[in-house]
Amino acid sequence: MAKRWTNDLTHDDITPERVFLNRRQLIAGLGAGSILAATPGQSRAQDALEPNSYEDITNYCNYYEFGTGKTDPAANAHTLTTSPWSVKIDGMVDNPGDYALSEIMEKMTIEERIYRFRCVEAWSMVVPWNGFELADLLQMAGVKPEAKYVAFETVLRPDEMPGVRYPVLDWPYVEGLRLDEAKHPLTIMATGLYGKPLPNQNGAPLRLVVPWKYGFKSIKSIIRITLTDTQPPTSWNKANAREYGFYSNVNPEVDHPRWSQATERPLGGGLFSRRKPTLMFNGYDEVAGLYEAMDLRKNF
Ligand code: MTE
């Protein structure tokens, strides 16, 4: 299958795995003062000096089914059984059914996508995902013309997920996209990172990644995908509609009611991390056309 997408990030932008080594080099190479004095708007080359790592990506997680602390998912998510795994695809599709993930994987083209990842909490990282385009999966299912949205659901297993004892969210975790967003070539279903299978805490064995939206749209451990003609409910919007909208596009001009979204804290810099400006659509300007006619303040 031909690749339909090009990438402005390179391997130099990945948070290298050896964060501590790199941090030492950074400290050795530059005076601490010059790091702290670095101003917003620095080049990507400088970004690459302040790396995240495989360790950062897999130990600083949000996966509330395993606890609300950043390190809870890494500590607890090993209890999740991820094989065998199947995904129900239903609703307005020609070929509804329970698809074994192994069967899906055989049909899909797995690519590496190095994406910026921006959490609504205003931290960010760069992640080298492995996965396939959601558009290809939707094509396999055969989307009926009346479908307008795609709804996603995370597995709910109280025996394997200690966090769901607490009513932090209305379980199971659910998310949704407009069909054109879902079909955009940037939207992927991730199955791995750093060339390794997705760790449980990052949403194994299959999660959504929508790089121009806040991280909470990137729903983990998906067991159901439903094509529908009505806007689906989403977990954080149900929990607090004033703070979390359906669209949740990264937008430095629309603040969260409790904090600014103008800047972000790149993970991995430790003591020396400095904030950098957040980019509209997280830097993925090619999606702007999806929202041309929309007021992004109202549709936050
Ligand atoms: N999916 C489920 N099922 N449960 C969650 O708590 N957290 C979301 C999103 N997907 C979450 C989820 C949030 S808030 C973020 S920022 C990202 O996952 C974090 O992904 P990461 O832990 O792989 O960085």
Side-chain angles (χ1 to χ4, degrees):
M1 203 174 300
K3 294 194 182 176
R4 281 168 272 153
W5 178 83
T6 51
N7 193 343
D8 69 328
L9 296 177
T10 69
H11 270 269
D12 293 342
D13 296 299
I14 303 179
T15 298
E17 292 202 46
R18 301 193 181 283
V19 64
F20 294 109
L21 180 63
N22 277 304
R23 198 177 296 159
R24 245 180 268 131
Q25 285 168 344
L26 180 71
I27 292 165
L30 298 163
S34 62
I35 299 168
L36 293 169
T39 46
Q42 60 274 84
S43 70
R44 286 221 178 83
Q46 277 172 294
D47 283 353
L49 282 176
E50 199 180 18
N52 312 73
S53 62
Y54 184 80
E55 286 69 31
D56 278 341
I57 296 169
T58 58
N59 287 295
Y60 188 95
C61 295
N62 279 332
Y63 197 167
Y64 279 15
E65 289 88 331
F66 295 99
T68 53
K70 296 291 181 233
T71 54
D72 290 343
N76 299 330
H78 59 91
T79 51
L80 183 67
T81 312
T82 59
S83 178
W85 193 269
S86 66
V87 182
K88 183 185 283 301
I89 305 184
D90 63 358
M92 295 169 170
V93 289
D94 298 326
N95 314 306
D98 292 305
Y99 291 86
L101 182 57
S102 51
E103 181 193 341
I104 293 175
M105 297 284 279
E106 271 168 31
K107 295 194 178 125
M108 298 292 129
T109 305
I110 305 294
E111 296 177 38
E112 183 182 68
R113 297 285 180 95
I114 304 163
Y115 281 163
R116 285 180 284 275
F117 187 90
R118 168 64 158 81
C119 179
V120 74
E121 298 164 338
W123 52 263
S124 66
M125 50 188 169
V126 174
V127 185
W129 301 106
N130 310 103
F132 54 86
E133 291 186 12
L134 175 57
D136 292 338
L137 185 64
L138 295 176
Q139 195 180 13
M140 187 190 87
V143 178
K144 288 191 189 285
E146 58 270 31
K148 294 196 181 78
Y149 295 91
V150 188
F152 303 86
E153 188 178 315
T154 293
V155 71
L156 176 55
R157 292 197 200 128
D159 290 349
E160 298 184 1
M161 297 174 136
V164 303
R165 266 181 279 150
Y166 308 99
V168 197
L169 290 170
D170 181 13
W171 314 110
Y173 196 101
V174 290
E175 257 304 336
L177 294 174
R178 221 169 55 193
L179 185 59
D180 56 350
E181 299 176 320
K183 284 162 97 173
H184 194 280
L186 284 171
T187 304
I188 60 164
M189 300 295 281
T191 55
L193 61 87
Y194 267 113
K196 302 172 194 177
L198 208 55
N200 284 4
Q201 61 267 34
N202 295 97
L206 185 70
R207 74 174 290 175
L208 182 68
V209 177
V210 194
W212 72 92
K213 292 181 180 280
Y214 291 120
F216 66 86
K217 298 293 288 182
S218 293
I219 179 172
K220 297 179 168 182
S221 308
I222 294 167
I223 50 143
R224 186 172 182 186
I225 299 175
T226 308
L227 278 288
T228 162
D229 59 1
T230 45
Q231 186 175 300
T234 61
S235 283
W236 281 102
N237 181 256
K238 283 198 287 178
N240 192 335
R242 204 176 73 85
E243 299 194 354
Y244 307 101
F246 175 79
Y247 284 95
S248 298
N249 294 317
V250 175
N251 189 339
E253 286 159 25
V254 177
D255 288 338
H256 185 279
R258 289 183 282 131
W259 58 83
S260 165
Q261 295 291 23
T263 63
E264 63 201 50
R265 178 174 60 88
L267 276 194
L271 202 55
F272 300 104
S273 86
R274 71 256 187 274
R275 301 186 75 86
K276 64 175 193 181
T278 287
L279 303 172
M280 186 66 203
F281 299 122
N282 206 19
Y284 298 98
D285 299 332
E286 59 265 56
V287 301
L290 298 176
Y291 309 104
E292 240 157 29
M294 283 176 59
D295 179 343
L296 295 178
R297 278 183 187 281
K298 277 196 198 133
N299 299 284
F300 59 94

